[in-house]
Amino acid sequence: SNQMRRGGPNDMNGGMDQTLNSGSVLEETSPTKDVSTHELKTANHVYLLDPVDSWIPCQVVERKSSTEVVVSIPQYRNQQAIKCDGGRSALRKKNKTIDLTKYSNQALPLQNVDEDGRLKQVEDMVDLPYLHEAAILYNLKERHIKSLPYTRTGDIVLACNPYQWFHNLYSWKQHLEYANVLVWNDASLGSSDVAVDPRTLLKPHVYEASCLAYKGLLRNGEDQSILVSGESGAGKTETVKILLGDLASVQRGPNAKSEANNNGIVQRVLDSNPLLEAFGNAQTLRNDNSSRFGKFLQLQFDHQPGKCVLAGSKCEVYLLEKSRVTLHHPEERTYHVFYQLLAAPEDVKREIWEDFQDTDAESFDYVGWSETDTIEGKTDAERFQMTVDALKLVGIESETLLTLWRAICTVLQLGNLEFEPTSDDECRVSSIDELDDLSSLMGVPASDLSRAFTIRNVKAKSENFQVFMTAEKAQESADAFAKEIYAKTFLWLVRSINDATCAEKNYKHNKGGDFGIIGLLDIFGFESFEVNRFEQLCINYANEKLQQKFTQDIFSSVQEEYEAEGIELEEITYDDNTDVLDLVEGKMGLLAFLNEECMRPKGSDKAFVFKAQASNMSNPCFFRDKHAPDCEFGIRHYAGAVVYDATNFVVKNSDTLPSDLLQCAAMSTNHIIANELNNDSMTSTRSRPEPKKQRRKQRTSLLSSKQMTRKNSNIAAETVWTKFRSQLGRLMDSLSSTQTRYIRCIKPNTKKSSFIMEHEATVNQLRYAGVVAAVTISRSAFPNRLEHLVVLEKFKSLFPKGNHIKVLNDQHLDPEERIFSAVEILLTIALKKMEMERDNTVFRAFVMGKSRAYFRAGALEFLEGERLRYLGDFAIVLQTKARSFIVRSKYLKFKQATVSLQSNYRRRMDQKEYHTARNCLIKIQCWYRILCASRTIVHLRRKKSATIIQSNWRSYRDNRRFGTIKRCAVVIQTMMRGAIQRPKYRESLLNKREEAKLENQLVALQRKLEEAEAKRMEAEKRAEAKVSAAVEQYKEEQENQAPLSSAVVAEGSNPEKPTEQSGVHGATEAIAGSGSIDEESVEQQKLMDESGRMLEYLRKEVFKLRSQNQQLRTDFDLLKDNNQRLMDANASAGASFAALNQHAKQLSKENAQLVSEVSSTKAQMQKIHVLQTELKEELRMKQLSYVSEVQSRFQYQKALQKVADLIEASCRDYRLVQQVLEITDEVEMEHMTAGGNNTSHENGNEPGPGEPRSSIFSYLNPFSS
């Protein structure tokens, strides 16, 4: 059973051959040649080992002997083009001779093809008639190319990473379909008595694993677990997410209507998963989001009537890759959280730590520069916010969140410390600034930190020693401190997540009750690199433990299958990895020797390898090359041999933190660093009660671990491997108590491309995942199986006259019994030669099951060989008929060719004569045509020359005429434009002159009004003075003439004298007194003259005033007439004093009237003043409107200039720019010529129909589009 691991010949029954490492089996013993058609008719489809393509399909052409066959190998363009199609898509084919002794049972693995030689793809590979490594490879490849990522192998689900997301595979409709068929409605799948596997009604999917696990928990009350394994980049983490989402959907029950989930606990369980990815995943060469730890997620379900409700979850983590904190490949990245924290906003970084602001990845040695900042389509800054939101969801926020970030910053800052030697055995911290920053970040004095890094306190019995450390050792201490802080921070985060999601603390409906468990194990797959170190040994050890359980479960499934088919279970041999586990964890195993070296004061890696080799020389699972380095050894695992480099095994296994650094950590103000470095637990709450046996086992392990640890000593402590072994033991105990289901993730290629599968890498993963071992176990007793109908269809023609034909024709039997009996009779006859006798018992080469026939090793190959030989006999008869048909066809073709040749010869001779005569006639016709053509060409040339001359003359004439017309048109246009523009210019000029004249007249009018007003005031004053003087003088004269007038009145009043006497007396008195009267008249005349001159002066003054106003003129004329009449009255005053007196009275009246007229004149002058004020205001308004018009025109020209400059600067079309500039000039000219018209427009006159409006928008309209 250990032949495969020990490197000996492999017995893979039924074509299961794994001799890929034994060298090439394509030994060419015959020259390469093309395969003829008749040879392919007898071909049999098989697989052939190849050192490059692993397995390649080919066809058996000829069997030379029992150990040699000739095969036809199709040659394809590349590995991706290789397919099982009978060579139809091959570029060419060639023959090779194959030695069958290098294959098990001296037979090549058969292909699962149809009659046309095309591959028969199946969803469940158990249904393959020929199940072996090559059949699994090409079935997976065919489904991968068709975008079918999931395939079954019994109870195992193979998930091939498609490197793309199929929305139809993970829709809500798919959730409901798988849940209804596998969980809720499985009782109504059929009405027959035969049990129907509900999985056959559905396509392979990981949903079937989650649904069946939920069903097992719901119906049987048995805890379940799903193991997801595969190498980095195979899609394990994504598969666990899909399983988790499906379980969250199924637990809602059969009546869920929508995809939305309103359960807070379920949402918390789903959303907490990205936290572990941020702190435990990193970018590697194989995967951008690789999990660098193992994870066992236990979903807790509460049993309720008809369903199980998700109540919470717990998570356990295994073997975090702490070395990635301090060192990683240049093309890889450390953990995502470091880059997310460095991509946080600057204000957040400043709040975390003041010196953290303005830092990037290159600021810290542990991180370094990275080419990418995007993982799976999201940047580090976006993922930082997602991480903060997820932390808040589990209760980590505010100060606790800042404490967590400061612990991460402490890890980063530890990488910046530098040490320099001060002597051969001593050193000191050279980066003082970095040490101070670390001191402020941790809250520990810098002197204590420096002493803890450079000096080691060792306690032996009752004495304490101080050991100075070299710079290398100090740097290793700082790195170890950083790794320990990060690892314990990771465990603290796991505890926080468990506290936020566990049912004991968060589920209120069943406090303290028992919960069902469905575990999801995301574990690292088997690893084999060029250099394998301590981490690979631990990972492969875990896979060996899981493979042991996997093998046991597969063996149980084989037992169930045989019992279901009614086959007696015989002894089944299969490969067991117990010897490998004994080598690793036995009393004299690698674990014991490594722990021993860790306990020794001067334990070394070389001593560990030497002890391991000395104690396991006879163990076939251990090997070591004689010429290998001292620290190199190898182990033959179930998946293949792996060579390990034991360098630093002792250091990595010890992983002890000095007590000095632990004391410094305890002094820190960061409670995570101070309190969590000694806490290895992953939960702070106890789960459901454990059995006594298990609790006793845990107490024993705890006591043994305490005995190994010395108090207050930093020399020895529990090793990493011991801790990991304890964790692994608890995990295996948990898995053993559950019903386990398996999902194997396959990484089809290293290019991360869709529709590509690399054969060698895929086959290795199938081995590492244990799929090949599972097939080996399932086919160990009976490697091949065929359904009863398939056996009859393929092999009944071998014995056309056997009893099985009679049984088939017997209509009295039941159809199933008839087929069963016929198959048994047929196989008994066909495999009679392969029967063997042992202990007087005859063993047949086959066993009849209820639905299938099971064949022992080599039996089906024997039947195929007999079928090939039998078909070969028929092929000989067919070939004979074919050859005769071919020869006769050749004769008939030869006869027909002879007759055709003669006919063609005669026809050829006649054609020759005909062609000779025809050629002569053609020559004559040619000469005649030449003669006619030469004449025609001469005529055409003359005509062409004349045409050219005429064309040139017409062109010259028309050009000349056009030039004349153009010049005339230009002159006419110039004159017309002048005629049009001159009136406008004259009108504008006239308007300008009138405007200037008006302004001058207005100024002169204002000046004259002011002078007239001054003169009027002065004249009024003079007139008033003169009138008052004249009135006074007149009064005095009247007073002087009063006695004379009284005497004249007395004389005239005597009535007794006769009239004659009175008249004579009056005349005498008049003559007598004429002398005195003349004297008085002279004086009066003088007075009158003075009065006349004064009145004349007044008349002139009034006349001047009346000239300015028409109303005053009329008044002044009336005054002139009155003055004239007064002068006439004064002239006649010498004749009659009474008349003079009367005239004086009338003059007084006229003077009073004159005063009234003067007052009315004042009123008129007041009106004139008001009118003058209104005229001034109107003039001022006109002046303001004119100024505003000038400013608007200036702004308009400025805006137009800006538009033109903008177009000239921005537009690339120079012609458009030139056109815009021309339009700008035209607009300015129109504004200049339209300046006079604007005055009339302002006065209310709108421009006429022919007058253009000055608007920039009218010119920009053509460019608006």
Side-chain angles (χ1 to χ4, degrees):
S1 63
N2 295 321
Q3 287 177 352
M4 180 182 68
R5 294 191 304 274
R6 296 170 188 172
N10 299 281
D11 186 12
M12 304 299 292
N13 295 309
M16 286 300 301
D17 197 308
Q18 295 188 359
T19 55
L20 287 177
N21 297 326
S22 61
S24 175
V25 297
L26 300 178
E27 297 179 359
E28 184 175 356
T29 58
S30 62
T32 303
K33 61 180 181 180
D34 294 335
V35 182
S36 61
T37 306
H38 74 277
E39 290 174 324
L40 290 178
K41 292 181 179 179
T42 61
N44 200 358
H45 301 278
V46 296
Y47 290 106
L48 191 67
L49 272 174
D50 184 78
V52 178
D53 297 326
S54 186
W55 292 97
I56 56 176
C58 60
Q59 296 167 300
V60 177
V61 177
E62 180 184 357
R63 181 181 289 272
K64 287 187 175 182
S65 64
S66 60
T67 59
E68 286 187 351
V69 293
V70 179
V71 296
S72 172
I73 305 176
Q75 305 295 311
Y76 294 90
R77 182 177 63 258
N78 52 37
Q79 188 181 88
Q80 301 309 316
I82 298 176
K83 60 174 62 177
C84 298
D85 60 350
R88 290 176 175 82
S89 60
L91 301 177
R92 60 185 181 277
K93 299 179 181 179
K94 65 179 180 180
N95 284 1
K96 288 185 181 294
T97 301
I98 305 302
D99 184 8
L100 297 180
T101 59
K102 297 183 178 181
Y103 292 82
S104 69
N105 299 322
Q106 296 185 3
L108 295 173
L110 299 176
Q111 298 182 29
N112 299 285
V113 295
D114 56 14
E115 296 178 354
D116 296 330
R118 301 184 185 276
L119 179 68
K120 292 192 296 185
Q121 171 210 288
V122 296
E123 295 179 347
D124 191 344
M125 289 190 287
V126 172
D127 297 333
L128 291 174
Y130 314 112
L131 182 58
H132 42 74
E133 188 176 273
I136 295 174
L137 171 65
Y138 280 91
N139 192 73
L140 285 177
K141 181 177 181 179
E142 185 71 15
R143 292 180 63 80
H144 179 66
I145 293 174
K146 293 181 179 180
S147 298
L148 300 172
Y150 300 117
T151 309
R152 296 191 198 98
T153 304
D155 292 333
I156 308 171
V157 178
L158 298 181
C160 191
N161 193 345
Y163 293 109
Q164 56 181 318
W165 185 261
F166 300 113
H167 294 280
N168 59 322
L169 284 181
Y170 311 106
S171 62
W172 177 246
K173 183 179 179 181
Q174 290 289 315
H175 283 289
L176 292 179
E177 181 179 1
Y178 279 83
N180 290 333
V181 174
L182 298 178
V183 180
W184 310 117
N185 300 329
D186 59 331
S188 59
L189 292 176
S191 58
S192 62
D193 296 334
V194 181
V196 178
D197 187 357
R199 293 182 300 169
T200 59
L201 304 177
L202 300 168
K203 294 182 180 180
H205 204 294
V206 293
Y207 285 171
E208 68 185 48
S210 56
C211 289
L212 291 176
Y214 182 83
K215 176 183 175 183
L217 179 64
L218 176 64
R219 301 291 172 84
N220 305 326
E222 183 180 1
D223 290 346
Q224 307 286 316
S225 60
I226 303 175
L227 271 63
V228 182
S229 63
E231 71 170 40
S232 178
K236 301 187 299 296
T237 303
E238 198 65 32
T239 301
V240 170
K241 291 180 185 177
I242 294 171
L243 292 171
L244 189 60
D246 185 56
L247 287 171
S249 300
V250 174
Q251 61 91 29
R252 297 171 60 192
N255 299 322
K257 300 299 183 182
S258 64
E259 192 173 0
N261 200 330
N262 298 323
N263 192 330
I265 298 176
V266 176
Q267 195 64 35
R268 195 179 306 162
V269 171
L270 295 175
D271 293 343
S272 62
N273 192 59
L275 280 180
L276 297 178
E277 291 188 15
F279 285 83
N281 288 23
Q283 182 187 32
T284 64
L285 296 175
R286 295 186 175 188
N287 187 10
D288 289 344
N289 192 24
S290 176
S291 298
R292 310 314 301 162
F293 66 101
K295 177 177 64 176
F296 185 44
L297 181 62
Q298 301 180 57
L299 301 178
Q300 299 172 303
F301 289 87
D302 180 24
H303 288 274
Q304 294 183 2
K307 64 178 180 178
C308 291
V309 178
L310 183 59
S313 69
K314 289 182 180 180
C315 181
E316 294 183 4
V317 295
Y318 304 97
L319 205 63
L320 177 69
E321 188 182 6
K322 294 194 294 184
S323 60
R324 183 170 291 273
V325 176
T326 60
L327 183 64
H328 58 85
H329 192 276
E331 296 182 7
E332 296 182 346
R333 301 205 320 174
T334 183
Y335 292 105
H336 294 326
V337 67
F338 294 116
Y339 301 93
Q340 294 176 10
L341 186 58
L342 289 169
E346 293 299 328
D347 56 342
V348 176
K349 294 166 69 176
R350 183 171 57 252
E351 184 181 4
I352 296 171
W353 178 30
E354 292 183 356
D355 295 333
F356 197 47
Q357 191 178 4
D358 298 329
T359 57
D360 53 15
E362 296 185 59
S363 302
F364 301 97
D365 294 341
Y366 283 165
V367 181
W369 179 79
S370 176
E371 293 182 354
T372 180
D373 62 347
T374 303
I375 300 296
E376 295 182 351
K378 293 185 178 179
T379 63
D380 293 328
E382 295 173 345
R383 289 191 176 274
F384 173 78
Q385 188 58 44
M386 293 173 58
T387 302
V388 172
D389 295 339
L391 287 169
K392 184 178 181 180
L393 191 66
V394 298
I396 301 176
E397 53 185 338
S398 63
E399 288 300 324
T400 307
L401 179 61
L402 293 177
T403 302
L404 172 62
W405 292 139
R406 287 164 186 160
I408 301 299
C409 291
T410 301
V411 175
L412 292 174
Q413 188 62 21
L414 282 169
N416 290 349
L417 293 182
E418 295 179 359
F419 301 89
E420 62 180 6
T422 57
S423 63
D424 293 339
D425 297 330
E426 298 181 11
C427 68
R428 65 181 181 87
V429 180
S430 60
S431 53
I432 303 300
D433 295 337
E434 302 292 345
L435 181 64
D436 293 338
D437 292 341
L438 179 63
S439 174
S440 63
L441 188 59
M442 291 182 61
V444 179
S447 58
D448 294 342
L449 284 173
S450 178
R451 188 181 307 107
F453 285 127
T454 58
I455 300 175
R456 185 73 67 244
N457 291 315
V458 179
K459 183 177 182 180
K461 295 184 179 179
S462 60
E463 298 182 0
N464 292 327
F465 300 94
Q466 283 191 348
V467 179
F468 293 94
M469 304 183 67
T470 62
E472 292 78 9
K473 292 293 183 180
Q475 189 67 55
E476 291 176 1
S477 298
D479 294 343
F481 194 33
K483 291 187 288 186
E484 189 68 15
I485 291 176
Y486 188 80
K488 294 308 169 64
T489 302
F490 184 70
L491 289 179
W492 173 84
L493 178 63
V494 172
R495 286 194 297 274
S496 300
I497 293 174
N498 288 335
D499 290 343
T501 59
C502 67
E504 289 81 358
K505 285 191 173 183
N506 300 279
Y507 190 66
K508 301 179 180 179
H509 302 288
N510 188 16
K511 289 189 176 181
D514 191 12
F515 297 99
I517 298 295
I518 296 181
L520 301 178
L521 179 62
D522 178 6
I523 198 70
F524 16 66
F526 186 86
E527 292 185 355
S528 179
F529 304 135
E530 293 183 2
V531 179
N532 300 285
R533 304 192 184 278
F534 180 74
E535 291 81 6
Q536 279 70 45
L537 179 58
C538 294
I539 289 172
N540 293 340
Y541 166 58
N543 278 273
E544 288 285 355
K545 297 286 287 185
L546 294 173
Q547 180 64 23
Q548 186 182 38
K549 176 172 172 48
F550 177 71
T551 303
Q552 294 172 357
D553 292 344
I554 294 300
F555 180 72
S556 300
S557 65
V558 171
Q559 284 181 324
E560 293 176 0
E561 180 185 359
Y562 284 1
E563 291 174 359
E565 288 289 337
I567 301 174
E568 294 182 1
L569 184 63
E570 300 178 357
E571 182 181 356
I572 299 177
T573 59
Y574 58 90
D575 292 337
D576 189 8
N577 62 346
T578 305
D579 47 359
V580 180
L581 293 175
D582 291 339
L583 172 64
V584 176
E585 62 183 5
K587 292 183 179 180
M588 300 297 291
L590 302 179
L591 175 60
F593 292 126
L594 186 57
N595 287 338
E596 181 181 348
E597 290 300 313
C598 293
M599 295 288 293
R600 291 177 58 241
K602 294 185 179 180
S604 64
D605 303 321
K606 295 180 181 179
F608 159 68
V609 175
F610 177 76
K611 291 180 180 180
Q613 182 181 8
S615 301
N616 297 282
M617 286 293 293
S618 60
N619 193 333
C621 297
F622 183 89
F623 67 93
R624 186 171 182 273
D625 192 1
K626 294 180 180 179
H627 305 288
D630 295 336
C631 293
E632 189 174 284
F633 68 95
I635 300 176
R636 291 187 178 92
H637 292 280
Y638 75 93
V642 179
V643 177
Y644 295 96
D645 183 2
T647 304
N648 294 328
F649 263 36
V650 174
V651 175
K652 291 182 178 180
N653 187 44
S654 300
D655 197 27
T656 56
L657 200 62
S659 57
D660 307 89
L661 292 178
L662 289 175
Q663 292 174 3
C664 282
M667 297 167 57
S668 176
T669 56
N670 190 308
H671 72 83
I672 296 178
I673 300 176
N675 303 326
E676 304 298 335
L677 291 191
N678 292 322
N679 192 351
D680 292 329
S681 175
M682 281 172 276
T683 57
S684 58
T685 59
R686 285 194 59 188
S687 60
R688 54 183 175 172
E690 300 171 345
K692 293 182 179 179
K693 184 177 179 181
Q694 188 171 354
R695 285 182 294 192
R696 188 184 305 114
K697 198 178 293 184
Q698 289 183 357
R699 280 200 300 269
T700 304
S701 62
L702 289 174
L703 288 174
S704 61
S705 64
K706 288 181 179 179
Q707 290 173 358
M708 293 177 61
T709 305
R710 301 180 184 178
K711 295 183 178 179
N712 299 328
S713 174
N714 54 8
I715 296 179
E718 190 177 9
T719 61
V720 172
W721 204 338
T722 304
K723 294 178 184 178
F724 181 62
R725 181 185 178 185
S726 301
Q727 288 182 344
L728 195 58
R730 290 193 297 271
L731 174 63
M732 298 309 299
D733 291 339
S734 300
L735 295 179
S736 299
S737 63
T738 63
Q739 183 180 359
T740 309
R741 306 180 189 280
Y742 298 92
I743 297 177
R744 301 307 197 206
C745 297
I746 305 297
K747 182 179 181 180
N749 60 79
T750 57
K751 300 176 182 178
K752 304 177 184 177
S753 301
S754 304
F755 312 113
I756 296 178
M757 178 169 283
E758 298 173 355
H759 291 188
E760 185 69 21
T762 304
V763 169
N764 288 335
Q765 291 179 72
L766 291 174
R767 295 189 191 127
Y768 297 164
V771 177
V772 176
V775 174
T776 304
I777 295 173
S778 63
R779 298 298 176 92
S780 58
F782 302 102
N784 305 104
R785 64 199 70 182
L786 289 176
E787 295 181 355
H788 294 161
L789 287 176
V790 176
V791 173
L792 287 176
E793 290 177 359
K794 294 190 69 173
F795 303 114
K796 69 180 180 179
S797 60
L798 296 178
F799 302 97
K801 298 180 180 181
N803 293 331
H804 61 284
I805 303 298
K806 297 179 182 180
V807 174
L808 287 174
N809 296 329
D810 189 357
Q811 301 297 328
H812 299 288
L813 298 176
D814 184 72
E816 293 184 0
E817 295 180 3
R818 192 164 60 224
I819 293 173
F820 183 89
S821 301
V823 171
E824 187 174 12
I825 294 171
L826 174 62
L827 293 179
T828 302
I829 297 173
L831 298 175
K832 187 69 176 178
K833 298 179 181 180
M834 296 193 67
E835 291 181 355
M836 59 182 179
E837 185 176 352
R838 186 173 59 189
D839 298 334
N840 297 326
T841 303
V842 177
F843 292 93
R844 296 189 299 181
F846 70 97
V847 174
M848 292 296 295
K850 293 181 180 180
S851 61
R852 298 175 181 176
Y854 291 79
F855 300 91
R856 296 187 188 276
L860 188 58
E861 286 78 4
F862 173 78
L863 287 177
E864 290 290 347
E866 290 296 317
R867 178 171 172 267
L868 179 62
R869 183 180 61 80
Y870 187 74
L871 293 177
D873 295 337
F874 281 106
I876 292 174
V877 177
L878 294 175
Q879 289 173 356
T880 302
K881 295 295 183 182
R883 291 190 186 98
S884 64
F885 174 77
I886 292 172
V887 172
R888 180 173 176 80
S889 298
K890 287 182 179 179
Y891 168 73
L892 294 176
K893 289 180 181 179
F894 179 75
K895 181 180 178 180
Q896 184 179 0
T898 303
V899 174
S900 177
L901 180 62
Q902 293 173 354
S903 175
N904 289 335
Y905 177 74
R906 297 188 190 98
R907 183 188 64 188
R908 180 62 181 168
M909 295 304 295
D910 294 341
Q911 280 183 347
K912 189 174 182 181
E913 293 179 359
Y914 168 74
H915 284 306
T916 303
R918 182 184 177 189
N919 291 336
C920 294
L921 183 60
I922 288 173
K923 289 181 180 179
I924 295 173
Q925 293 175 350
C926 182
W927 283 110
Y928 178 75
R929 292 191 188 95
I930 290 173
L931 181 62
C932 294
S934 61
R935 293 177 180 175
T936 304
I937 197 67
V938 170
H939 174 71
L940 291 176
R941 285 176 179 172
R942 290 172 60 86
K943 185 176 181 181
K944 181 179 179 181
S945 300
T947 302
I948 292 173
I949 294 172
Q950 292 173 358
S951 177
N952 291 335
W953 163 248
R954 293 190 188 98
S955 176
Y956 170 75
R957 183 190 62 189
D958 293 341
N959 287 335
R960 187 175 180 183
R961 182 181 299 171
F962 173 75
T964 303
I965 294 173
K966 182 179 180 181
R967 287 191 297 273
C968 294
V970 170
V971 173
I972 292 172
Q973 291 175 356
T974 302
M975 296 175 66
M976 190 64 188
R977 292 190 187 97
I980 293 172
Q981 293 297 329
R982 273 191 294 273
K984 295 181 179 180
Y985 176 74
R986 291 192 191 99
E987 185 179 359
S988 176
L989 185 61
L990 181 60
N991 291 334
K992 289 289 184 180
R993 290 176 178 174
E994 289 179 355
E995 185 177 350
K997 184 177 180 181
L998 181 61
E999 290 178 358
N1000 295 332
Q1001 289 178 355
L1002 184 59
V1003 172
L1005 179 59
Q1006 291 177 347
R1007 188 168 52 253
K1008 288 181 179 180
L1009 286 174
E1010 293 175 357
E1011 293 176 354
E1013 182 68 17
K1015 290 180 179 180
R1016 183 187 64 80
M1017 296 294 292
E1018 186 179 355
E1020 286 180 357
K1021 292 178 179 181
R1022 286 198 304 269
E1024 290 178 356
K1026 289 182 179 182
V1027 168
S1028 58
V1031 171
E1032 292 294 331
Q1033 184 179 1
Y1034 178 74
K1035 289 180 178 180
E1036 292 177 358
E1037 290 177 356
Q1038 290 296 327
E1039 290 177 357
N1040 294 326
Q1041 292 180 2
L1044 179 61
S1045 61
S1046 61
V1048 173
V1049 171
E1051 291 177 359
S1053 62
N1054 189 4
E1056 294 181 355
K1057 293 180 178 180
T1059 308
E1060 292 90 354
Q1061 292 180 358
S1062 61
V1064 174
H1065 179 72
T1068 304
E1069 288 179 355
I1071 294 171
S1074 60
S1076 61
I1077 293 172
D1078 289 336
E1079 292 176 359
E1080 291 180 0
S1081 63
V1082 171
E1083 292 177 2
Q1084 187 69 27
Q1085 186 64 37
K1086 290 180 180 178
L1087 180 60
M1088 290 298 174
D1089 290 338
E1090 290 177 357
S1091 298
R1093 286 193 297 272
M1094 181 183 65
L1095 291 175
E1096 183 63 24
Y1097 175 77
L1098 292 176
R1099 185 188 62 80
K1100 290 181 180 180
E1101 291 296 327
V1102 172
F1103 179 78
K1104 290 179 182 179
L1105 293 175
R1106 289 176 65 185
S1107 64
Q1108 296 179 4
N1109 192 308
Q1110 188 64 32
Q1111 186 66 28
L1112 292 177
R1113 288 179 181 176
T1114 304
D1115 295 338
F1116 287 156
D1117 292 337
L1118 181 59
L1119 182 61
K1120 182 179 179 181
D1121 294 338
N1122 293 332
N1123 289 330
Q1124 185 65 35
R1125 286 195 296 274
L1126 182 58
M1127 291 175 64
D1128 293 337
N1130 289 330
S1132 61
S1136 176
F1137 181 78
L1140 182 61
N1141 191 16
Q1142 187 66 27
H1143 179 70
K1145 292 179 180 181
Q1146 187 176 0
L1147 183 60
S1148 178
K1149 292 179 181 180
E1150 291 293 336
N1151 287 333
Q1153 187 178 1
L1154 181 60
V1155 171
S1156 64
E1157 286 179 357
V1158 169
S1159 62
S1160 64
T1161 302
K1162 288 183 179 180
Q1164 291 296 329
M1165 291 303 295
Q1166 186 69 26
K1167 290 181 181 180
I1168 290 174
H1169 179 70
V1170 172
L1171 183 62
Q1172 181 183 1
T1173 304
E1174 292 178 356
L1175 186 61
K1176 286 182 180 180
E1177 184 66 24
E1178 184 178 0
L1179 180 62
R1180 188 177 65 83
M1181 294 299 295
K1182 289 292 183 180
Q1183 186 177 5
L1184 291 176
S1185 64
Y1186 178 79
V1187 172
S1188 63
E1189 178 66 21
V1190 172
Q1191 290 179 352
S1192 65
R1193 288 184 182 178
F1194 177 73
Q1195 293 293 332
Y1196 167 78
Q1197 292 177 354
K1198 189 175 181 181
L1200 185 63
Q1201 185 63 32
K1202 285 185 179 179
V1203 172
D1205 294 341
L1206 180 61
I1207 294 176
E1208 186 175 6
S1210 304
C1211 185
R1212 298 181 179 178
D1213 191 350
Y1214 69 92
R1215 287 179 290 184
L1216 178 62
V1217 174
Q1218 188 66 25
Q1219 190 174 2
V1220 171
L1221 294 177
E1222 292 177 358
I1223 291 175
T1224 304
D1225 296 338
E1226 291 179 6
V1227 171
E1228 291 180 356
M1229 288 299 297
E1230 283 197 15
H1231 274 292
M1232 292 176 63
T1233 55
N1237 296 333
N1238 289 339
T1239 305
S1240 61
H1241 296 166
E1242 291 171 358
N1243 294 332
N1245 299 326
E1246 292 294 327
E1251 293 179 293
R1253 291 181 179 269
S1254 299
S1255 175
I1256 187 171
F1257 300 103
S1258 63
Y1259 290 93
L1260 292 181
N1261 279 335
F1263 307 101
S1264 60
S1265 60

